[in-house]
Amino acid sequence: MKKIKIYKLTIDNQEKEFYLLKRLYEKHLKSDSFLENVMRVRKIIYVANSRDKIRRIKRYIRTQTLSFRPRLVTIGEPLFELLYDNIPPEDRLTKHVITDAYAKIILRHLLIDKRRYLFPSADFSLSPETSDFFLDWIKKIKEYNLHLSYREGEIKYRKDASHFDLANKENRFNERLLSILGKVFTLYEQFLKDNNLVDVSDKSWWVIDHLKPNLLKEYSFYIEHLSILRSIEQNLFRKIYQQSKTVSLLDFFYPFPGARFTTTGIIDGDKEVIEVDKTERECFQEIKLHPFGKKEHEVDAIAKIGDNEGFDKKIVIVSPDIDDYEKIFERIFPRYSMYPPSLSRRKLSQFPVIKTCLAIFEIINQHFRRRAVVSFLLSPYIKLLKEKEKRHIDRITREEMIVSGNDWKRLIDRQAEMSRVLNFIGELTILKSKKGKAFIEHYLSLLDSLLNIKDETEIKPYNKFLEYILSFKREPVVRTIREFGIKDFQRILFSYSQSVKVPIEQMVDERIEMLDLEETSGMNFERVFLIGLVEGKLPKEPQHNPLFSEKLLEEMGFPTYDMLYALSKFNFESVMKSVKKIYCSYYKKDEKGNVFLESPFLQGMEREELISEKDRVYTLLEWQMSTGEIIHKGEVINEILLMEDMKKRALLIRDGIKRLRDENRLRNVKSLLLSSNEFHEYVKKRIDGLSKGISAQGLETYQRCPYNFFLRYIVGIGELEEPEEGLDNLIRGKVIHKILACFYKRRLARKIEKNLLNDWEEMRKIALDAIEELAPGVRDRILLRLELISKDYESLLHKFLNKEVKENINHMLEDVEWKFTGKDVYIKCDGERLGLVGRIDRIDRDNDGLIIFDYKTGIKNNLPSNRSIDEGEHFQFPIYTLAVEKCLEKVIKTAYYVINSKEGISIEERKIIPQELLISNISRVWKEIKGLSFEPKFKSNCATRCIFNELCPEII
Ligand code: SF4
């Protein structure tokens, strides 16, 4: 009987997933003696394709209630680790093993320390990323066991390396870079030797060199891996094939150009090939192919299908680049109450506390930019300021016009909390000047003094992060970081926090599985979503290599593009042929706007239009785009809509709606919406969104003209349009609002007293800044200065201060620009919750209660009357009253504060209506919105006053 057996299957074999495992149980674990089985199972090693496959195997063993489990490992490091653990203690390594994270630090040190020797000319950029490039090549040299000679020297790792003479080859590689790599390799190896260290590749070779025949001879191996092996793995497997007791392998009938590099292709000696049922099965398959605009749409479609079809069948999601979808899964799935297992672990860099730790680097890089510093200090993990002080920091730093850099010194004369902020900036300036160990120490002590971590879920990631930084204080790392500056540490800590994952407490659904296409060969599925099938990812594009041409790489023993292509194709077909129901999809654009084509593997496959993006509209932009497309009927317009700036886009959409109007298709808006799934579905979504928080202005717009509301709040044309240049009432109004808000924010909880008039200079200064910031042209600025703060005659704001002292004396400033949202303020309409949003210009307090002021800069005649408030045409004050009474306390007065040069300053009080009346007024309007009633309400002044008159079916 031959020692090596190869089971060869067709890739559509429905048994393939556990075929090898079943042979293992049949052969070794069928004894009636428990003890015998226990002894046997300890000597069986099963090499699986991936960690996901191991999970599947464990589940299978559980469901089959099998009592014994072989040792399960994946190819690569876990297999080497398992074998290393079996090497007798006296033969184990006496050197310390370093991970890639530390190897990178060592390389960076060498590059800085020996920069003159390595890079004699100054044109070589020595960025922190350079160490990644050299580490990648050092690993390749070791894993492929290369011995390269070139004009200026040679790179040699082991004595048994096969020699490759580059000097005799055509010069199609970067000789200078190769020569630097040679020097870096020698320095790196010497460093490891001097410090009694080895890296992961060294350890793997150690395992190969120290595997004695008597160790392997007791073991039986089951190997299901079919992939391209590097030299290091080829060496290990050859040893296993020669010395172990028995070997069983899985293989497939598949034309594979790189067979000589695979687990089955490298077998030298005798073998028995068992061909398993070669007939191809006719099995009914349901295949659907969906093109989508973006990755988000692919994920959303999966969730919706899962929702519709149910979870009784597992949901398996496979992609050539599954990691690319990680964030999108996290964002979209929980919306559908789907919690895939991948959500149970999170990268360190995703924890807010670690983000806070890393933000220090960004603050320094951005020269202490105000926004970066303030948002850092507002983080709940920062204990530098008390809650109340935190609220003030934003305001004070704005008022003091802190932008960045030395501006912070201006806080020196402010209150105590600002001096703490100033000290913090000082500490960061010191940190910036430190290097190496001193930097680490200062950084750690800064974190220690700043951080406030109480939550269990944050302590774990923080400890992990801290543990890594603390390891820098040990030899030999501490010596290597002496020249490292802020950029080095930023990169090191960032890449560490990106690569390490920490488990979080999260309920996950085991019925959802996510796999990279490369991990799937040999698995079977019932229902699978194959997503991200775009050219460049399937098959994978070869990466540019600055050192060697493709041809040279092939000659050196690296896998060729043909081989990688065939492997991709094998994995793809293996999934396609093992599934009953397959949803394939690809996206047309990525998040950066790059355009993608479908994978060539999808050629000939029919597209399923049922759930393609044509029927699904997800965002405003897409609705707008499809409006453009429907009207213009062509791909080109879509492209234009996507690429153009907001203003141009708005013009195109306007143009589209104008055509609808001109073609008389807007006669009945409701029937137009109902005639198209896209319109209808989109409008429903927008209305749902509005139900989370609608403003008084929105409701009033609807009351004035439902069609105007439709264009503004549903189509969102207003959102796309940028304000026109030139001084108009809108800008004047914004400037006056801003000045008064700034002025009174400094006076919160203080009473208005006579001496307010003494603060005129302060108001002037604030006004000058606001005009500068908000008025677009020089002429506008001059006009506003004359109107608002001129010294020559009594200016508008001076009049305002007089009015304050006269009418509002002894009022206490309760709040300015007080915001409320639909979360806190809402009403019930037909049992559903309708959120209300708004921002109140000013709330005063007098002896009897609260007073709401709304600044108006237009003329008095345009103000809502008491009657119109009663009758539900105007909602502003009633909604403000409801919000204040719900969140603060009783309102005794609501009034418009008219500030306008033509009519001067006046306060116009309005009545407070009962809440029940407000609720019934809003409910009436809301019902009509939900009923898609958006017909125009024409008035005589429409043609001159409405900005949408060109789009209005009433004006044609
Ligand atoms: S022109 Fe008049 S009727 Fe037409 S949308 Fe504007 S406000 Fe409504």
Side-chain angles (χ1 to χ4, degrees), residues 18-31 34 37-38 41 46 56-70 72:
F18 301 116
Y19 187 86
L20 201 60
L21 190 74
K22 284 180 190 162
R23 302 294 79 77
L24 181 157
Y25 277 93
E26 264 169 28
K27 186 158 171 29
H28 301 275
L29 301 170
K30 58 180 182 192
S31 165
F34 181 83
N37 281 332
V38 170
V41 82
Y46 191 98
R56 282 175 163 237
I57 291 174
K58 284 183 183 168
R59 214 177 302 136
Y60 176 81
I61 293 174
R62 249 193 339 261
T63 53
Q64 300 293 312
T65 55
L66 300 167
S67 320
F68 310 99
R69 194 163 79 194
L72 296 163

Side-chain angles (χ1 to χ4, degrees), residues 280-295:
E280 299 236 340
R281 270 162 213 78
E282 285 265 329
C283 106
F284 174 75
Q285 277 192 310
E286 205 183 323
I287 301 176
K288 290 178 179 175
L289 171 61
H290 306 132
F292 287 102
K294 299 196 273 184
K295 289 178 193 153

Side-chain angles (χ1 to χ4, degrees), residues 665-681:
R665 288 160 64 198
L666 272 175
R667 272 282 146 227
N668 182 338
V669 182
K670 185 171 177 173
S671 66
L672 175 86
L673 294 177
L674 293 175
S675 71
S676 152
N677 276 348
E678 294 159 331
F679 281 17
H680 190 191
E681 200 173 309

